Amino acid sequence: MKTDKQALIKALKKKRESEGLSIRALSERVGISFSSLARIERGEGEPDNNSTIRIIEWLGPDAQDAGLTFDSVALVHFRAAKNVQSKTVHCLLQAAQQLVRNNSNAFPVSEDFAETDSELAGSVALSKSEMEEMANGLRDDLEVALDAPLDALNIRIDGVDVYTVSDVHGLGAECAKFLLGAGGREWSAMSVPLDITEDRWAILRNDSHTPERQKVTYLEECWHILLGHKLTRIAKVADAFGRTYDSTEEHDAFYLASATMLPEVEVRSQVTAGKSAAEIAAWFGTSPELVEYRIKRLGLWRIYKNKGVELSD
């Protein structure tokens, strides 16, 4: 194991024990599975770059004291597989840098800003009722009835520009091809702040995906911006790239996107009327999988599957 990894593990264990955290509690806090974190602490395997970045971010000043730093940093939002590979992150970073360069008065995307108190604070999970109300409120602002399909890709937010990969002038051909090809399965969308106040944004959509998937992932990025979520840190460590991951905020943004596309009152009505997930999806312009997610999250699965219950004699 490399010396820097040994220093990382030593600093990790020291801080965890000093704060009285179990490995399971720390696992939930940093977004690394319990089994992986336990193996890392035992020295039975090296953390991958995504895990390394999450650990360094959690360590904060203790990481610097141990001589652990990022080689380069960007702060963005993006929807991607939890353990996205290094090349995908690298190409998304390149795209983010080009989006910034192509917009005048944008701040450098690779600048490592000092963390604020809000960035250091933990995530605040929204309740289900709060999110349902917020989703309906957005539809109301858009003047789209709860029983009507919503073309999410037509939503525009003040100060937010929307791009596809082919729109990113200056992005290398290799990265552009990779993001829409071999790496295309690993990411769906990315939001890049164009000023330090986070009033101006660029959203990059993966237009190689189906329209149904693009709608919900685009809405997810919109909700990240509208909720003021903490930015994801993507960074280079040694010769590879990785990123942080906030499961609470990712969950909330996805829930809100799905609730906006599929309002509770109408999903309940159609499920009660015996409509299938495919039929509901066809009406709202979503995937059947997203409809089933909503049915389960709304506690309607038993009704949907027509599972009767009774007390035995």
Side-chain angles (χ1 to χ4, degrees):
M1 183 177 292
K2 296 179 182 177
T3 303
D4 58 342
K5 298 293 185 180
Q6 291 175 337
L8 179 75
I9 293 168
K10 183 178 179 180
L12 168 70
K13 187 173 182 179
K14 180 180 178 181
K15 182 175 180 180
R16 180 181 68 76
E17 291 177 345
S18 70
E19 294 191 1
L21 294 172
S22 66
I23 294 178
R24 191 170 301 279
L26 181 58
S27 167
E28 295 175 357
R29 186 167 299 187
V30 299
I32 302 172
S33 72
F34 168 77
S35 58
S36 296
L37 200 56
R39 284 196 301 270
I40 290 169
E41 272 213 10
R42 292 195 301 265
E44 295 177 358
E46 292 192 12
D48 62 18
N49 268 50
N50 293 326
S51 297
T52 297
I53 290 169
R54 292 168 199 159
I55 292 170
I56 291 176
E57 185 174 60
W58 176 72
L59 286 172
D62 292 339
Q64 294 181 358
D65 293 343
L68 302 165
T69 59
F70 301 118
D71 292 339
S72 62
V73 174
L75 299 173
V76 299
H77 288 305
F78 71 95
R79 174 68 174 170
K82 185 174 181 179
N83 292 312
V84 57
Q85 64 178 306
S86 174
K87 186 171 182 179
T88 305
V89 177
H90 166 66
C91 286
L92 286 170
L93 176 56
Q94 295 299 309
Q97 290 172 332
Q98 286 304 135
L99 286 170
V100 169
R101 292 189 186 110
N102 296 340
N103 284 271
S104 60
N105 301 320
F107 68 85
V109 73
S110 59
E111 185 172 346
D112 189 6
F113 292 104
E115 291 175 308
T116 65
D117 290 342
S118 63
E119 288 171 332
L120 292 170
S123 303
V124 178
L126 297 168
S127 69
K128 182 189 287 188
S129 60
E130 287 174 327
M131 289 190 284
E132 295 292 343
E133 184 178 350
M134 291 168 69
N136 290 344
L138 181 60
R139 275 185 163 257
D140 189 49
D141 290 343
L142 295 170
E143 299 182 346
V144 178
L146 295 178
D147 61 351
L150 170 64
D151 190 349
L153 296 180
N154 283 335
I155 295 175
R156 291 296 177 264
I157 301 172
D158 290 341
V160 179
D161 297 323
V162 184
Y163 300 83
T164 60
V165 172
S166 60
D167 296 326
V168 184
H169 301 300
L171 179 62
E174 181 183 352
C175 268
K177 181 179 179 181
F178 182 80
L179 288 175
L180 295 176
R185 296 185 300 274
E186 291 197 322
W187 75 283
S188 300
M190 175 175 67
S191 303
V192 183
L194 299 177
D195 59 33
I196 198 167
T197 61
E198 298 180 22
D199 287 329
R200 294 176 55 232
W201 291 82
I203 293 180
L204 181 67
R205 292 193 291 109
N206 185 341
D207 57 336
S208 71
H209 289 173
T210 64
E212 292 80 11
R213 183 173 177 181
Q214 289 184 60
K215 289 174 185 177
V216 71
T217 53
Y218 171 66
L219 253 179
E220 193 173 354
E221 293 305 308
C222 291
W223 276 114
H224 275 308
I225 293 170
L226 294 173
L227 290 171
H229 278 166
K230 296 191 303 292
L231 293 165
T232 294
R233 185 186 302 273
I234 57 178
K236 184 179 181 183
V237 180
D239 295 320
F241 291 82
R243 63 132 177 185
T244 57
Y245 180 87
D246 189 310
S247 59
T248 298
E249 293 189 345
E250 291 295 333
H251 166 270
D252 286 358
F254 183 76
Y255 188 101
L256 279 159
S258 65
T260 306
M261 294 291 297
L262 296 160
E264 177 179 6
V265 62
E266 190 60 21
V267 172
R268 287 186 180 277
S269 175
Q270 295 204 29
V271 167
T272 303
K275 296 291 183 67
S276 69
E279 290 173 316
I280 299 171
W283 172 251
F284 282 105
T286 70
S287 68
E289 292 78 14
L290 189 68
V291 173
E292 290 191 353
Y293 167 82
R294 283 291 283 157
I295 290 172
K296 291 175 181 178
R297 293 296 293 152
L298 292 171
L300 298 171
W301 192 250
R302 182 176 68 84
I303 298 172
Y304 178 66
K305 288 296 186 178
N306 194 28
K307 295 289 186 183
V309 294
E310 62 181 14
L311 291 173
S312 59
D313 295 332

